[in-house]
């Protein structure tokens, strides 16, 4: 069973031996290993149960070694990096030969990020390779935002979980690729389209098409609890669709008067979208452990970070109800 601790020495030694451990970031916990080592990368896929055609993000401590791993960097990528790193943003850039095909699932681009977490930045500074890390959940399930959540999901498959406390942002990074110089958002996140527009004059949003999976966060039925999730704009009327008994509520600001309090999670009583993002996955996870028949979740205002939260809720949902 995995040990939870804050010991960077243990963490770096295990990584140097080619092991996979869990690390904290400001978004969600990651399942990390040497990104330059094909066998370690294979272990990450195995532990996560993730199809090998679904590439990983590499994590670096700073810009120093950047050009060893990526090339032909658009000017706008540099501008975004300057503004938002370290932080919850991942850039898709052309890889160099140092990055093995296993890490990018043979794609020509590699996903790169400088995370903003002091413990993980210290760890990355101790290593002479980047860390490949997908979110530390079994494939398709809810991403973990605490060390205990990682232990409950993958504790029997790894030896060490570096404990960085609860994740401050709570949803996965915004993924941005480039069409020439134009940034294209592939996965919504904490860095919003209008944040990108403060740096680049134009931004495109890559809309999901059926069958096409460019990033796993784009596949439907992702980030999903095992309990069926129904998503609605009118949570106050959910009892028109379902019995009140055995229903869990995931609401933005307000409790439902008919449902016992213990079966409800309120994401932000004051209506703060950043706080809602931070609480989202733990709330989903807790409701999922209650053996309820269904979870009814509420759409959040579709602005700013609300767009990223609604994206995750939509992927978690089995059905949208009126
Ligand atoms: O916040 C985050 O991004 C977290 C923390 C741990 O950094 N990581 C994370 O990783 O969410 P993961 O693997 O769960 O999601 C990364 C997404 C996947 O949907 C993957 O398909 C996409 O990034 N991706 C990675 N490399 C790519 C590439 N070369 N081209 C297109 N998509 C890529
Ligand atoms: Mg993930």
């Amino acid at each position: 069973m995995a040990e939870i601790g804050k010991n960077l020495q243990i963490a770096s030694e295990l990584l140097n031996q080619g092991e996979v451990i869990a690390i904290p970031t400001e978004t969600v916990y990651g399942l990390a290993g040497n990104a330059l080592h094909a066998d370690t990368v294979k272990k990450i896929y195995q532990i996560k149960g993730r199809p090998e055609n679904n590439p990983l993000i590499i994590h670096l401590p700073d810009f120093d070694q950047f050009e060893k791993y990526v090339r032909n960097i658009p000017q706008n990528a540099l501008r975004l990096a300057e503004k938002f790193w370290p932080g919850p943003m991942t850039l898709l850039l052309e890889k160099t030969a140092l990055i093995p095909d296993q890490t990018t699932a043979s794609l020509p681009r590699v996903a790169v990020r400088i995370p903003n977490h002091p413990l993980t930045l210290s760890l990355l500074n101790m290593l002479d390779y980047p860390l490949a890390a997908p979110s530390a959940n079994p494939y398709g399930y809810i991403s973990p935002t605490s060390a205990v959540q990682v232990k409950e999901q993958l504790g029997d498959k790894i030896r060490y979980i570096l404990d960085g406390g609860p994740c401050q942002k709570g949803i996965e990074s915004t993924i941005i690729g480039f069409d020439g110089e134009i940034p294209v958002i592939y996965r919504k996140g904490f860095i919003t389209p209008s944040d990108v527009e403060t740096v680049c004059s134009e931004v495109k949003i890559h809309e999901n098409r059926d069958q096409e999976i460019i990033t796993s966060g784009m596949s439907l039925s992702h980030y999903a609890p095992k309990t069926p999730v129904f998503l609605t704009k009118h949570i106050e009327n959910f009892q028109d669709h379902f019995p009140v008994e055995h229903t869990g509520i995931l609401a933005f600001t307000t409790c439902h008067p008919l449902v016992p309090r213990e079966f409800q999670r309120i994401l932000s009583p004051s209506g703060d979208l950043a706080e809602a993002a931070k609480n989202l996955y733990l709330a989903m996870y807790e409701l999922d452990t209650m053996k309820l028949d269904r979870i009814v979740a509420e759409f959040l205002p579709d602005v700013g970070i609300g767009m990223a939260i609604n994206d995750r809720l939509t992927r978690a949902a089995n059905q949208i109800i009126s």
Side-chain angles (χ1 to χ4, degrees), residues 32 46 54 66 69 119 158 165 176 187:
Q46 269 164 16
N54 206 326
F66 212 61
Y69 307 118
L119 204 57
I158 53 177
I176 305 177
R187 180 173 72 184

Side-chain angles (χ1 to χ4, degrees), residues 183-321:
V184 183
I185 297 182
Y186 286 92
R187 180 173 72 184
K188 293 172 184 161
F190 227 85
I191 305 295
T192 64
S194 24
D195 291 332
V196 175
E197 272 172 343
T198 62
V199 184
C200 311
S201 54
E202 194 182 343
V203 54
K204 291 188 198 164
I205 315 264
H206 189 278
E207 295 301 343
N208 221 353
R209 271 168 271 157
D210 285 351
Q211 307 302 325
E212 180 195 37
I213 299 176
I214 291 181
T215 67
S216 73
M218 298 172 69
S219 61
L220 299 176
S221 180
H222 213 76
Y223 316 106
K226 298 187 177 87
T227 313
V229 176
F230 298 90
L231 190 55
T232 177
K233 287 191 174 141
H234 301 286
I235 201 157
E236 65 283 2
N237 298 333
F238 89 87
Q239 67 277 17
D240 297 347
H241 300 269
F242 300 114
V244 170
E245 292 72 37
H246 306 290
T247 296
I249 295 288
L250 183 64
F252 184 28
T253 58
T254 318
C255 281
H256 195 284
L258 300 179
V259 176
R261 184 66 185 89
E262 63 193 293
F263 300 141
Q264 304 202 49
R265 289 293 177 274
I266 304 304
L267 294 175
S268 172
S270 67
D272 175 347
L273 290 168
E275 182 182 37
K278 187 176 170 186
N279 291 331
L280 178 70
Y281 286 141
L282 181 61
M284 266 195 208
Y285 185 72
E286 286 177 349
L287 288 169
D288 200 27
T289 59
M290 292 178 189
K291 299 195 163 58
L292 296 160
D293 288 347
R294 68 197 70 79
I295 297 168
V296 180
E298 181 177 27
F299 272 111
L300 270 58
D302 208 38
V303 291
I305 306 152
M307 293 187 284
I309 301 172
N310 286 339
D311 170 77
R312 304 307 190 272
L313 287 171
T314 305
R315 290 174 207 287
N318 298 61
Q319 204 185 320
I320 295 176
I321 55 171

Side-chain angles (χ1 to χ4, degrees), residues 87-104:
M89 176 184 74
T90 295
L91 299 180
L92 295 175
L93 300 170
E94 196 181 316
K95 82 177 188 74
T96 66
L98 275 180
I99 305 288
D101 285 340
Q102 280 78 4
T103 304
T104 63

